[in-house]
DNA sequence: GGCGCTAGTCTAGACCCCCTAGGTAAAAAC
DNA sequence: GTTTTTACCTAGGGGGTCTAGACTAGCGCC
């Protein structure tokens, strides 16, 4: 009956590792409890619900991604910044598939506000400073960039590109070239 | 003890409607059985597993989306075709959120081959014929388009754009303008 | 029209997951 | 050293997945 020393942080981290190993959808309270050699009821002292656990993992992933992106952006501007940011994003998704899946969880409004989502948006806008876009073009460009990164990576993860010989690395690099060209040459209204 | 006349097709359709109503993650074999006034064990005569049911819904959604896209493309070329295709895709996702979520399910290799995924790829290439891109630029462009559509729509669905006043419709339309401009002016290697 | 076959549904039950209520022991506070 | 709080436990209900085996409706056939 020794105490295990569980905390929300330890549980969240273990759940994140589990997600990367067996997939986010297989992260359950029971499995997590087994991992700590503890009854599942015990975890409810630290967690509100199974959904709460998933939200915690999602927020961890968002934080980690924002941290990585911030590092990548430091001291860069223009296309350099764009490429570094995009690569940080993609690398994280490929290295941590379970965490990345968690980050796609639908968060309710307040949770989303409290998450690192705002930092992501700010960094994207920081990148765009190198391209001198006025509003509302800037907002449109933010959405385009977010959408493109997320879409490309999630299709790549899903294996959507595997039936063509061209490597996804090469396509990715050219996609970034194309986005850079597009931002430098944003079409007039 | 009258026969209900269940078939895989009827079950799949009902599950798809259920997905749009209550969310894809809440589509369960039990709930589906209740909807037909039948015990859940009965459904396992028609379905291999709960996962099988979800795969069926995913393939239905992929077929429907491909049909819609094909209609939209008929008789169009160039930017017209691009816009019609993109709108068909987005409209489907917004009108059928549960089905769209199902379409994001990770399919294993053979299932994916047997799905409408190939038709999607062919149609995307058909659009690009209006822009005269040579390989491998064409492959890169296919990936960019797929990624962008999917990413934009899934972020929109997730509410990722709601904190800015600009309407997502306007951004979407400008995104399509931007993609058209990009394809007409694909950056040289 | 009875006979057998197959398809479609049922009952029963095992197992896993989520979560609550209430008990109890370890650690911390005093 | 007692009290309080914290952390974990047992017990148990509810729901989802799935299997084995029983039963019956309807068909094809002599």
């Amino acid at each position: 009956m020794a105490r295990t020393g569980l905390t929300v942080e330890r549980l969240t981290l273990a759940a994140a590792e589990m997600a990367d190993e067996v997939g986010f959808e297989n992260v359950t309270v029971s499995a997590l409890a087994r991992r700590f050699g503890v009854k599942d009821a015990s975890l409810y002292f630290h967690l509100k619900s199974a959904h709460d656990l998933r939200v915690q993992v999602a927020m961890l992933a968002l934080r980690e991604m924002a941290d990585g992106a911030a590092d990548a952006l430091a001291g860069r501007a223009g296309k350099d910044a764009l490429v570094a940011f995009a690569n940080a994003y993609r690398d994280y998704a490929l290295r941590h598939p379970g965490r990345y899946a968690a980050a796609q969880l639908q968060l309710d409004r307040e949770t989303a506000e409290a998450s690192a989502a705002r930092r992501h948006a700010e960094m994207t806008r920081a990148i765009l400073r190198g391209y001198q876009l006025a509003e509302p073009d800037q907002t449109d460009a933010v959405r385009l960039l977010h959408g493109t990164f997320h879409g490309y990576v999630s299709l790549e993860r899903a294996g959507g590109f595997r039936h063509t010989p061209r490597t996804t690395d090469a396509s990715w690099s050219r996609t970034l070239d194309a986005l850079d060209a597009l931002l430098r040459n944003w079409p007039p209204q």
Side-chain angles (χ1 to χ4, degrees), chain A:
Chain A
M1 205 137 293
R3 304 224 167 169
T4 316
L6 301 180
T7 63
V8 180
E9 289 71 29
R10 287 189 65 197
L11 289 172
T12 304
L13 200 58
E17 283 163 12
M18 216 164 132
D20 286 335
E21 288 162 17
V22 300
F24 183 57
E25 71 282 4
N26 295 317
V27 173
T28 67
V29 174
S30 313
L32 191 58
R34 273 194 298 276
R35 196 164 178 128
F36 281 99
V38 150
K39 299 293 166 185
D40 45 347
S42 307
L43 299 198
Y44 288 92
F45 184 79
H46 305 278
L47 304 169
K48 282 218 311 288
S49 65
H51 181 251
D52 178 36
L53 172 62
R54 295 186 191 108
V55 169
Q56 296 290 341
V57 177
M59 301 202 21
L60 171 68
L62 288 171
R63 267 197 314 274
E64 288 181 349
M65 289 173 75
D67 290 346
D71 278 359
L73 277 186
R76 294 183 210 271
K79 187 179 176 185
D80 247 25
L82 176 71
V83 170
F85 182 84
N87 282 331
Y89 190 86
R90 176 168 175 255
D91 290 348
Y92 186 86
L94 298 180
R95 208 170 28 240
H96 297 296
R99 281 160 153 107
Y100 183 77
Q104 309 314 318
L105 196 68
Q106 297 245 17
L107 301 177
D108 59 89
R109 208 187 180 90
E110 309 112 78
T111 315
E113 296 292 326
S115 78
R118 170 153 298 163
R119 286 173 65 203
H120 286 263
E122 278 163 11
M123 285 188 285
T124 313
R125 282 204 138 76
I127 291 171
L128 290 180
R129 271 201 284 281
Y131 293 96
Q132 276 115 10
L133 288 174
E135 286 295 0
D137 292 344
Q138 200 179 98
T139 295
D140 297 342
V142 167
R143 291 174 182 180
L144 173 62
L145 285 184
H146 265 181
T148 306
F149 295 161
H150 169 55
Y152 192 99
V153 168
S154 70
L155 288 183
E156 181 178 7
R157 265 187 351 119
F161 297 154
R162 67 193 154 203
H163 27 65
T164 15
R166 179 145 171 90
T167 71
T168 58
D169 275 355
S171 275
W172 173 250
S173 158
R174 290 288 282 150
T175 292
L176 297 183
D177 290 347
L179 285 176
D180 172 62
L182 178 57
L183 292 174
R184 273 190 286 104
N185 218 335
W186 194 258
Q189 185 68 15

